[in-house]
Amino acid sequence: MAKDYNGSPKHHGPLDAKRNRITWILGVSGLCILSYIMGSWKSTPTPTTGQYDTVAKVGCEGGSSSSASKASPFSSSNLDFESHHQLDLNSSSGVQEFPPCDMKYSEYTPCQDQTRGRRYDRNMLKYRERHCPAKDELMYCLIPAPPNYKPPFRWPQSRDYAWYDNIPHKELSIEKAIQNWIQVEGDRFRFPGGGTMFPRGADAYIDEINELIPLKSGHIRTAIDTGCGVASWGAYLLKRDIIAMSFAPRDTHEAQVQFALERGVPAMIGIMGSQRLPYPARAFDMAHCSRCLIPWGKYDGLYLIEVDRILRPGGYWVLSGPPIRWQKHWKGWERTQEDLKKEQDEIERVAASICWKKLIEKDDLAIWQKPINHNECVKSRKVFKTPHICQGDNPDIAWYKELEKCITPLPEVTRSDKVSGGELEKWPKRAFTLPPRISSGSIPGINAEKFRSDNEMWRDRIARYRRLAPLTQGKYRNVMDMNAYLGGFAAAMSKYPVWVMNVVPPNSDHDTLGVIYERGFIGTYHDWCEAFSTYPRTYDMIHASGVFSIYQDRCNITLILLEMDRILRPEGTVILREGVELLVKIKSITDAMRWKSSITDHESGPFNPEKILVAEKTYWTGEANENQSQN
C-alpha cells in the first residue's frame, strides 16, 4: 500500500472539502467579530481630563446622600445601548464632569440677572425684562442648593409653610409684616395668606370677589395675577378649581416668585414692560391686580390693551387698591386726591375705549368685563377713534413681540349673542372636550381625531410612567412639560395633586398653546435655547418628549440639560422621550451632571425605536461662603 510522504500531493475527498468550507466560514466570522469589537472600542468616548474632572470630589456639605449611592432610583430594567449607539452632538465631546458653580449663583436666573439688567433702558422697565447672557457669559457648571437645603413640604402643607434654609430671605417678613405676607417661625416660613389689599387673608378676599362674580360655577378656570407677591391669591383659588398664572418681576422683592413656587403654587418671573406677555390671545377667564403698581392709564392704556388681548371673550378684570374708592381711602394711601382721581379717570376711559363694561365697584374692589364679541365694539370706533382694531397681526405671537396700541380683534360671529371663538364647557368637563380652536379648524393639520388619539396615547403613557416614578406618593407638585403640544400630558396628570407648566416652543410646527388654555390648563411660550423665567430648584418633575429632536441642530443641548438641572429640585425626576441614539448621548451628559438614570423601552414594547429615559437629580448642596452676607 502506498504511503504518504511529506510534500507529496494528497487526494481531497468530499469530507476534506466540507472541512475546508467550515474553516473558511469560521475564519471570516472571526474577522467580522474582531472588526466589530475594535470598532466599538474605538467609538467609545474617553473621559476627558481637565477642569471638569473635579465634580465627583467637590467639597460640598452632604456632597453625596443616600440617593446618590443608588444604582438606579427606578424600578424598571436599565437597557444598555452604549456600545451600539454613539452620536456626536454639538459641543459635546465625550463625557464631561461638570463642577458646581460658586454659591453666589445659588439663586441665579440667567435671563433676569439684575447685574446684566442695569445695562438696559429703564423706560417702561425694559431693564427688568428678559436679557439673556451672551455666548461668552454662559456657564458650564451646576447651580448649587443652599448648604442646609431640605425637600419642600408636601402639598397641601406647602401652601402654608416653607423651610427657611431653602429661601433664606427675611426681607419680605420685615417689609411686609403689617400686610401679613409672610412670617418667620423658627426654621420655617409661614404664609398666613395675607396681601397688600387683603390683610384678613386671601380666602376672605376671594369670598368677597365671589359675591360679585361666580367663581364656583366652573365657568372661570384660568386666571392671571399681575404683580403677584408671594401668590397667595393663586394659592387659595386652587381649592375653588381655578388655576392662576402668577407673575412678578425680580426686583427689590426679589424672592417673591421663588416663595410662590416653593409653596407649590404656579408662578413665573415676568413683568409688564415693553413686550407682550408670553401667552396666547384669549387665554384667561379672569385677570387680577391687587395694588400691583402697574400704571394702567399710562402709554395710552397700553397695559390694559395687553390684558384685553390675553383675556377670553366675556372674561373679567378685577382691580383692588388705589385708585378704587379713592374718596374713602386716599389718606391711608399717602397720595393726593387729585392724583388718585386722575388715575381712576384714566382707567375708566381706557376700559371704555376697549369696549369693557364696568360691572361693579364695591369698597376697594372694581370689576370690568370684556364683551363676548366685537360686533358692537367695531361700531363704537365712530366714537372712540383710538385705540383702533389691529389689522393683519397674529394675536397669538407673543415671544419677544412688542406691545401694540390697538385692540386685538376677536373671531367674527354672525349674531351679537354668540361668543367669539366658541363657548367653553365648564370645568372639569372642559379638560377633555374638543377645544374650539380645533373644532373650528383654526390649527392646520389638527382635527378631532388627532385630539382623541392624543388623549388615549397619554392615558397609556401615564400608566407606564406610574411604573417608572412614584406619581401617586405626593412627591411631585410642580411639574413642567417642555413640549406640551395639545396638553395631553397635563390632562392625564390632572388626577394627581400636581399642576403642570405647559411649554410650547415658539418655533413649533403648530402653535397649540391656545388649545391648552381652552382645555383649562396654563402654560407659556418658551425657546429652550434660552433659560426659563424661574428660580433654581422650582420644579419637582420635568417631562420632555421630542424636545432634543427639535433643538439638536439649533443650539447646544448640553446647555438645555444644564438649564433643566438648574430648575429641578434635588431628588427631582426627569422623564425624556427620544430616539435611542439621541437618548444614549443625552444620558452620557446627564451622568456627568450627577443624575442617576436608566433607559427603558417604549410602552408599546422593545421594537419601538423611541425609548424613555427616567432620571433623578441626586441630592447635594454647596458650601456657604465665609464672606457671604447674612440675611
Side-chain angles (χ1 to χ4, degrees):
M1 180 177 291
K3 297 181 180 180
D4 287 333
Y5 293 97
N6 290 337
S8 65
K10 297 181 179 180
H11 175 71
H12 297 280
L15 184 62
D16 292 330
K18 184 175 182 180
R19 185 182 297 112
N20 287 340
R21 283 196 300 273
I22 293 173
T23 301
W24 183 82
I25 291 171
L26 289 174
V28 172
S29 299
L31 287 173
C32 290
I33 293 170
L34 180 61
S35 176
Y36 179 83
I37 293 172
M38 291 296 292
S40 298
W41 175 78
K42 288 183 69 177
S43 63
T44 301
T46 303
T48 59
T49 59
Q51 61 174 327
Y52 298 126
D53 289 346
T54 61
V55 67
K57 304 176 183 179
V58 61
C60 301
E61 288 186 19
S64 176
S65 72
S66 59
S67 65
S69 62
K70 298 176 186 176
S72 173
F74 312 106
S75 59
S76 60
S77 59
N78 186 7
L79 303 180
D80 182 11
F81 300 99
E82 289 286 352
S83 61
H84 306 290
H85 298 274
Q86 297 295 332
L87 181 67
D88 289 333
L89 291 176
N90 43 38
S91 303
S92 300
S93 56
V95 178
Q96 298 178 339
E97 294 181 335
F98 300 96
C101 307
D102 189 277
M103 269 302 297
K104 68 181 180 181
Y105 295 107
S106 179
E107 296 180 356
Y108 182 51
T109 55
C111 295
Q112 280 91 8
D113 181 63
Q114 292 168 302
T115 302
R116 184 180 304 108
R118 295 191 190 105
R119 307 173 193 168
Y120 295 88
D121 189 357
R122 300 182 73 85
N123 181 46
M124 296 184 71
L125 301 179
K126 292 178 182 178
Y127 73 108
R128 285 182 178 162
E129 294 179 330
R130 287 178 57 86
H131 302 291
C132 297
K135 193 171 183 179
D136 60 352
E137 296 177 295
L138 298 172
M139 300 195 304
Y140 289 82
C141 56
L142 306 176
I143 300 295
N148 299 312
Y149 181 87
K150 303 179 186 69
F153 291 95
R154 292 192 173 183
W155 184 265
Q157 191 180 13
S158 66
R159 186 193 68 181
D160 303 322
Y161 292 98
W163 295 114
Y164 172 80
D165 286 327
N166 290 8
I167 315 175
H169 292 282
K170 292 182 180 178
E171 301 94 332
L172 285 175
S173 66
I174 298 170
E175 186 176 341
K176 300 293 183 180
I178 298 176
Q179 298 163 10
N180 227 17
W181 278 23
I182 183 172
Q183 297 172 356
V184 180
E185 296 182 351
D187 61 352
R188 65 191 65 185
F189 290 108
R190 185 170 75 87
F191 301 91
T196 306
M197 294 310 303
F198 35 95
R200 294 192 300 118
D203 224 10
Y205 173 77
I206 292 170
D207 284 340
E208 292 175 12
I209 298 174
N210 185 58
E211 293 175 1
L212 307 177
I213 56 175
L215 298 183
K216 299 179 181 179
S217 65
H219 288 292
I220 297 176
R221 165 61 183 173
T222 57
I224 184 167
D225 191 12
T226 54
C228 64
V230 294
S232 288
W233 188 73
Y236 283 86
L237 278 175
L238 287 167
K239 71 179 186 179
R240 295 164 171 86
D241 280 336
I242 297 174
I243 186 167
M245 175 70 79
S246 300
F247 73 85
R250 180 162 188 169
D251 57 9
T252 54
H253 305 153
E254 64 175 75
Q256 54 191 326
V257 167
Q258 192 176 14
F259 276 122
L261 288 157
E262 189 73 8
R263 299 174 69 183
V265 180
M268 289 178 62
I269 301 173
I271 192 167
M272 296 199 78
S274 66
Q275 298 173 346
R276 284 180 174 179
L277 298 174
Y279 316 118
R282 313 194 318 272
F284 298 98
D285 304 312
M286 177 170 57
H288 175 256
C289 165
S290 174
R291 203 169 187 175
C292 59
L293 304 180
I294 295 173
W296 298 112
K298 290 187 67 175
Y299 312 115
D300 296 322
L302 195 59
Y303 297 139
L304 270 184
I305 292 171
E306 173 62 0
V307 172
D308 179 76
R309 182 185 72 86
I310 62 175
L311 203 59
R312 278 196 54 75
Y316 301 96
W317 185 54
V318 180
L319 175 64
S320 67
I324 303 304
R325 284 298 172 97
W326 58 268
Q327 299 93 333
K328 179 180 178 181
H329 302 292
W330 69 275
K331 290 182 179 179
W333 291 336
E334 298 180 351
R335 291 174 57 185
T336 66
Q337 296 183 66
E338 293 77 11
D339 181 37
L340 289 163
K341 181 181 184 303
K342 180 180 178 182
E343 183 180 353
Q344 179 151 1
D345 288 345
E346 280 296 302
I347 291 173
E348 302 279 8
R349 181 192 63 79
V350 175
S353 72
I354 58 178
C355 306
W356 289 4
K357 177 184 178 182
K358 189 173 186 179
L359 296 183
I360 194 167
E361 182 175 317
K362 182 180 179 182
D363 296 328
D364 50 14
L365 267 172
I367 301 177
W368 285 261
Q369 186 174 26
K370 179 177 176 175
I372 61 173
N373 59 62
H374 273 170
N375 286 13
E376 294 300 320
C377 193
V378 171
K379 298 175 184 177
S380 75
R381 294 310 91 193
K382 296 176 181 179
V383 177
F384 297 102
K385 301 300 181 184
T386 58
H388 64 276
I389 295 177
C390 302
Q391 302 293 326
D393 178 40
N394 182 346
D396 289 341
I397 294 177
W399 186 245
Y400 291 121
K401 173 71 172 177
E402 295 293 313
L403 291 173
E404 293 186 87
K405 296 179 182 179
C406 58
I407 302 172
T408 299
L410 292 174
E412 294 184 4
V413 291
T414 55
R415 298 202 327 246
S416 294
D417 60 343
K418 291 290 186 180
V419 178
S420 287
E423 290 193 62
L424 298 178
E425 289 281 357
K426 294 181 181 180
W427 181 264
K429 189 176 180 181
R430 177 172 168 179
F432 293 96
T433 300
L434 186 68
R437 294 188 192 223
I438 296 179
S439 61
S440 66
S442 61
I443 305 179
I446 299 179
N447 53 29
E449 175 57 29
K450 286 193 175 181
F451 179 76
R452 183 194 61 79
S453 61
D454 187 73
N455 285 331
E456 291 180 357
M457 178 185 71
W458 281 109
R459 181 193 61 203
D460 295 341
R461 288 183 172 185
I462 295 301
R464 169 70 166 156
Y465 291 170
R466 284 187 60 181
R467 298 193 292 271
L468 302 177
L471 298 182
T472 62
Q473 298 176 16
K475 178 180 179 180
Y476 309 116
R477 173 61 184 168
N478 303 352
V479 179
M480 174 180 285
D481 190 358
M482 295 175 65
N483 186 24
Y485 189 46
L486 299 178
F489 170 79
M493 289 285 283
S494 61
K495 66 179 74 173
Y496 305 113
V498 304
W499 63 270
V500 179
M501 178 68 77
N502 293 281
V503 179
V504 172
N507 52 303
S508 298
D509 292 337
H510 303 287
D511 181 357
T512 53
L513 191 54
V515 167
I516 290 168
Y517 274 95
E518 288 182 341
R519 299 186 70 173
F521 304 112
I522 59 170
T524 182
Y525 294 110
H526 182 72
D527 185 341
W528 286 110
C529 289
E530 299 181 1
F532 194 76
S533 294
T534 193
Y535 283 82
R537 303 173 300 281
T538 45
Y539 284 87
D540 305 300
M541 173 186 281
I542 300 176
H543 180 266
S545 177
V547 170
F548 295 94
S549 298
I550 296 172
Y551 284 98
Q552 63 175 319
D553 297 323
R554 296 189 64 240
C555 49
N556 188 346
I557 71 160
T558 298
L559 290 169
I560 299 177
L561 289 164
L562 288 170
E563 172 63 4
M564 293 169 68
D565 183 85
R566 182 185 75 88
I567 67 178
L568 188 67
R569 286 175 174 162
E571 299 182 326
T573 299
V574 171
I575 300 178
L576 304 179
R577 306 179 71 97
E578 296 287 353
V580 61
E581 290 192 351
L582 183 51
L583 211 56
V584 167
K585 188 62 181 182
I586 289 169
K587 187 178 187 303
S588 73
I589 300 170
T590 61
D591 286 348
M593 292 163 48
R594 307 194 213 186
W595 291 8
K596 298 298 181 182
S597 63
S598 61
I599 296 176
T600 70
D601 279 322
H602 190 276
E603 55 273 356
S604 65
F607 298 107
N608 194 310
E610 181 180 83
K611 304 298 177 185
I612 305 169
L613 183 145
V614 187
E616 181 181 278
K617 177 180 175 178
T618 56
Y619 178 92
W620 62 275
T621 68
E623 292 181 337
N625 294 334
E626 293 182 4
N627 58 351
Q628 189 173 5
S629 61
Q630 299 297 316
N631 293 308

